Amino acid sequence: MLKIDRYAYTNKLRCVHPAEKLAFALAMLIACLALSSRLASLLVVLFMAASAVLRAKIPALFYLKLLLVPASFLLAGVFTVALSFSKDASLFLAGVKLGGCVLGFTAAGLATALDLFLKSLGAVSCLYFLVLTTPAVEIFALLRKLRLPPLFVELMALVYRFIFVLLETAEKIYLSQSSRGGYATLKTAYFSLGQLAANLFAKSYRHSQLLFLTLSARCYTGELNVLDEPCRFSPRNLLLSILAGLTLLAAGYCAEKGAGPFAR
Amino acid sequence: MPGKPILEAKEVSFRYPDGTPALKNVTLAVAEGQKTAFLGPNGAGKTTLFLHFNGLFRPERGKVYFAGREVRYDHASLLELRKNVGIVFQDPETQLFSASVWQEVSFGPLNLGLPAPEVKERVLAALSAAQVLDLKDRPTHFLSYGQKKRVAIADILAMRPRVLICDEPTAWLDTRRGKQIMDLFAGLNASGTTIVFSTHDVDLAYSWADYVFLLKDGALIGEGPPEAVLSDPRLLAAAELEKPWVAEVYEELQCKGWVAGRRPPRSKEELLALIGERGARGAELRKVK
Ligand SMILES: Nc1ncnc2c1ncn2[C@@H]1O[C@H](COP(=O)(O)OP(=O)(O)O)[C@@H](O)[C@H]1O
Ligand SMILES: [Mg+2]
């Protein structure tokens, strides 16, 4: 979470207009979801990885680790999709007999599972690209421009800011506890953790009260108006993103029709 | 040349909801254009008093005045007051609500109803005055404490108030950063802004302020120019404060007859200059003999 945030501010695509990055991620996301082509999903995964690593200069190892997080539980989820249960033993590539039936993997089941896995990974890649290259603040600004309800966006922005305040507070309490041996044994650790949670709640409550006071001091009247930073907007990038999505869609469409290089 | 009173409290008393009496019958006036320090130990009521000046707290008894007019607590009057009296809170963490430095500083001027180009100009000016212009694209959560503090000051600078109140401006800052902030305030003061700050650092108040108020346990126990208030041992003892070291060294030197000052020095530099003068004169005397 913290590392993603750090890259969002330091990556090489930081200065690209957030709308362009959003358009790119969305175009690829739509292409990935609309197509039921394994190859298209794989292409999206690879293309997004290339964009993040080569263009935005996110370290490849970090990106890989990040992909492994959803990949690991996607595998677990997809496993159940791959499993089939049937009387016809000839369908199965591998399986165990349970009474008169067979539990195992069929070719069709495995294919569906692979499709699902790649499609999900493709979708996740699109979102990763967005959050790795665009600071949350800019995403919020974009949502505001897209006329999402202000209350909703303000709330998101405040929650985002408070995550860091809370983390910092928790760290301070944790340090002060452990410096006095609060986590020396399992028993004291349980006790200290409970104290930390209770303390954190009390502190957050106090913090929110103080924040209201400090906002009021600056003429707060119920709306968190802020000025968005001007960003250079390049229609060329936007066009390219849409083109990339369309190309992928067209290619996938041809593949489904059984024509062209993407035919299954 | 003290100006007309800009902030006044008349017989102000205040108790927190839990019953803690924080201000007891406080009557005082801050003169416009002055650098005013509120000195007192922790819990003296400095923060509570500041929150009254900005209309955030309403006195239980007594009245608060801004520029000669009684503070009223309806919506429009409060906005008008807060436009003129800006307050920088002690802990920047509770003041910074946005993850973006730029957006954070734009909040105040936008609330004043200014058009976007003017807000932009003010944000840039405030950021550069507070020496944080280079941080404008950084998220607030990656800033150090001192940087956050300066962004919190820029927050208020961007609103261009007539009175800038700063609660413990140098607390938890290293000496150099603290000095930078006080220099910034001195500059603002030179261009007409009244500066009000709280501190428990007698040396700072002694060398920097034009006028000092001493608070203790919610009551005003003394006021006056720093060289008068901070050389009074009885007052200092009552406020649990020590004498400023510059004053102490000067008195000691004077007792020994080593320096003869027309006016007690206010800062280390003035004291050193005085000693230097004396040294030079001493050397001359020896030459004559
Ligand atoms: N939110 C609060 N609730 C109850 N008592 C408070 C609160 N804030 C401050 N006090 C009390 O009010 C008194 C004055 O506090 P404060 O104005 O913060 O003093 P100072 O800023 O000079 O350190 C202290 O006794 C303090 O304990
Ligand atoms: Mg205080």
Side-chain angles (χ1 to χ4, degrees):
Chain A
M1 169 77 205
L2 287 174
K3 259 202 167 150
I4 292 179
D5 199 66
R6 199 166 278 267
Y7 285 125
Y9 284 96
T10 54
N11 74 86
K12 286 280 182 300
L13 292 178
R14 167 80 165 85
C15 297
V16 175
H17 195 287
E20 294 163 22
K21 289 180 277 195
L22 181 69
F24 177 58
L26 272 184
M28 298 311 273
L29 183 69
I30 290 168
C32 175
L33 292 182
L35 294 172
S36 21
S37 151
R38 213 171 294 158
L39 201 64
S41 305
L42 193 65
L43 272 180
V44 170
V45 173
L46 291 179
F47 195 48
M48 290 326 255
S51 305
V53 174
L54 300 180
R55 294 280 285 127
K57 303 281 180 216
I58 308 292
L61 198 67
F62 177 70
Y63 189 80
L64 202 69
K65 273 191 200 155
L66 219 52
L67 266 191
L68 280 180
V69 177
S72 56
F73 61 81
L74 272 180
L75 268 181
V78 143
F79 182 74
T80 53
V81 173
L83 271 184
S84 317
F85 190 65
S86 168
K87 281 194 170 145
D88 187 358
S90 65
L91 284 176
F92 286 88
L93 301 173
V96 285
K97 276 218 174 66
L98 292 170
C101 301
V102 183
L103 180 71
F105 301 106
T106 65
L110 277 181
T112 322
L114 189 63
D115 277 352
L116 199 63
F117 177 76
L118 285 177
K119 199 181 242 189
S120 315
L121 208 60
V124 168
S125 301
C126 295
L127 290 183
Y128 272 168
F129 173 80
L130 187 66
V131 297
L132 278 170
T133 57
T134 318
V137 175
E138 287 174 12
I139 298 181
F140 299 148
L142 209 58
L143 296 179
R144 216 173 285 138
K145 283 217 186 76
L146 293 175
R147 306 248 167 251
L148 254 72
L151 183 69
F152 180 70
V153 183
E154 279 168 15
L155 212 59
M156 276 189 2
L158 276 182
V159 167
Y160 173 73
R161 161 93 183 110
F162 267 70
I163 289 173
F164 294 98
V165 173
L166 216 61
L167 277 179
E168 216 162 279
T169 315
E171 193 177 308
K172 271 186 211 146
I173 300 176
Y174 177 81
L175 276 180
S176 100
Q177 284 177 332
S178 42
S179 73
R180 283 173 286 157
Y183 293 89
T185 68
L186 199 61
K187 202 173 140 209
T188 58
Y190 273 124
F191 180 75
S192 298
L193 206 60
Q195 291 282 308
L196 190 149
N199 218 329
L200 208 56
F201 178 76
K203 282 219 161 122
S204 309
Y205 180 67
R206 173 114 190 89
H207 194 110
S208 67
Q209 280 184 323
L210 276 173
L211 186 73
F212 179 71
L213 214 59
T214 60
L215 288 178
S216 303
R218 285 193 280 159
C219 304
Y220 174 63
T221 53
E223 248 180 87
L224 288 175
N225 302 311
V226 290
L227 199 64
D228 291 325
E229 253 178 299
C231 253
R232 265 184 305 105
F233 184 73
S234 138
R236 190 178 135 265
N237 281 346
L238 196 66
L239 219 66
L240 276 179
S241 320
I242 294 171
L243 218 64
L246 281 180
T247 317
L248 210 61
L249 270 178
Y253 183 72
C254 292
E256 267 175 45
K257 286 269 164 178
F262 288 108
R264 274 196 275 196
Chain B
M1 17 82 251
K4 280 195 290 196
I6 187 149
L7 288 172
E8 287 167 275
K10 288 197 181 148
E11 297 173 359
V12 167
S13 296
F14 181 83
R15 249 183 311 178
Y16 277 98
D18 66 351
T20 318
L23 291 176
K24 299 169 194 160
N25 209 20
V26 173
T27 301
L28 54 82
V30 175
E32 175 149 35
Q34 277 198 326
K35 296 179 281 189
T36 304
F38 282 83
L39 257 175
N42 290 331
K46 305 180 291 291
T47 304
T48 311
L49 182 65
F50 287 177
L51 296 179
H52 278 84
F53 284 150
N54 185 271
L56 287 167
F57 284 176
R58 195 174 177 158
E60 197 175 289
R61 260 183 296 129
K63 290 191 171 89
V64 180
Y65 296 78
F66 171 72
R69 275 199 304 270
E70 187 184 330
V71 169
R72 297 213 319 262
Y73 294 87
D74 58 287
H75 190 70
S77 314
L78 279 181
L79 284 186
E80 186 59 25
L81 175 69
R82 288 167 189 170
K83 191 170 133 182
N84 286 303
V85 182
I87 169 162
V88 181
F89 286 78
Q90 179 174 357
D91 184 4
E93 204 67 76
T94 55
Q95 191 183 316
L96 306 183
F97 73 92
S98 173
S100 139
V101 168
W102 177 273
Q103 293 190 349
E104 172 67 40
V105 179
S106 72
F107 174 72
L110 271 179
N111 285 340
L112 300 183
L114 300 169
E118 163 135 33
V119 172
K120 205 174 139 186
E121 184 246 304
R122 282 191 178 204
V123 172
L124 284 174
L127 287 174
S128 81
Q131 298 181 342
V132 280
L133 192 57
D134 51 326
L135 304 178
K136 84 178 163 60
D137 299 319
R138 294 265 295 279
T140 28
H141 48 267
F142 289 163
L143 304 185
S144 73
Y145 179 83
Q147 290 170 330
K148 281 179 187 161
K149 185 100 192 181
R150 277 180 287 159
V151 171
I153 291 172
D155 270 352
I156 307 305
L157 290 186
M159 296 178 77
R160 307 212 172 135
R162 272 170 75 184
V163 184
L164 189 135
I165 300 180
C166 196
D167 202 3
E168 311 263 353
T170 58
W172 302 344
L173 287 182
D174 60 53
T175 326
R176 202 167 67 91
R177 295 270 143 49
K179 187 168 178 320
Q180 276 174 359
I181 285 180
M182 295 322 283
D183 288 347
L184 167 66
F185 287 165
L188 282 174
N189 181 250
S191 55
T193 309
T194 309
I195 305 284
V196 174
F197 69 104
S198 70
T199 183
H200 49 254
D201 180 348
V202 273
D203 294 313
L204 178 69
Y206 186 71
S207 64
W208 203 86
D210 298 324
Y211 203 81
V212 173
F213 291 102
L214 274 187
L215 287 179
K216 171 80 200 301
D217 289 335
L220 183 72
I221 58 170
E223 64 175 290
E227 54 274 28
V229 174
L230 300 179
S231 59
D232 184 338
R234 263 201 0 257
L235 268 182
L236 285 172
E240 296 172 13
L241 295 168
E242 305 252 321
K243 188 174 275 186
W245 74 263
V246 174
E248 202 156 275
V249 171
Y250 174 72
E251 266 168 36
E252 192 64 29
L253 291 175
Q254 212 178 20
C255 259
K256 297 242 158 70
W258 290 353
V259 292
R262 304 131 298 235
R263 189 179 73 82
R266 288 273 297 277
S267 63
K268 184 174 87 180
E269 286 72 26
E270 286 182 18
L271 179 67
L272 287 179
L274 211 62
I275 296 174
E277 244 170 62
R278 157 76 199 194
R281 231 179 311 127
E284 259 164 46
L285 282 180
R286 271 196 297 279
K287 235 184 277 166
V288 171
K289 275 180 200 166

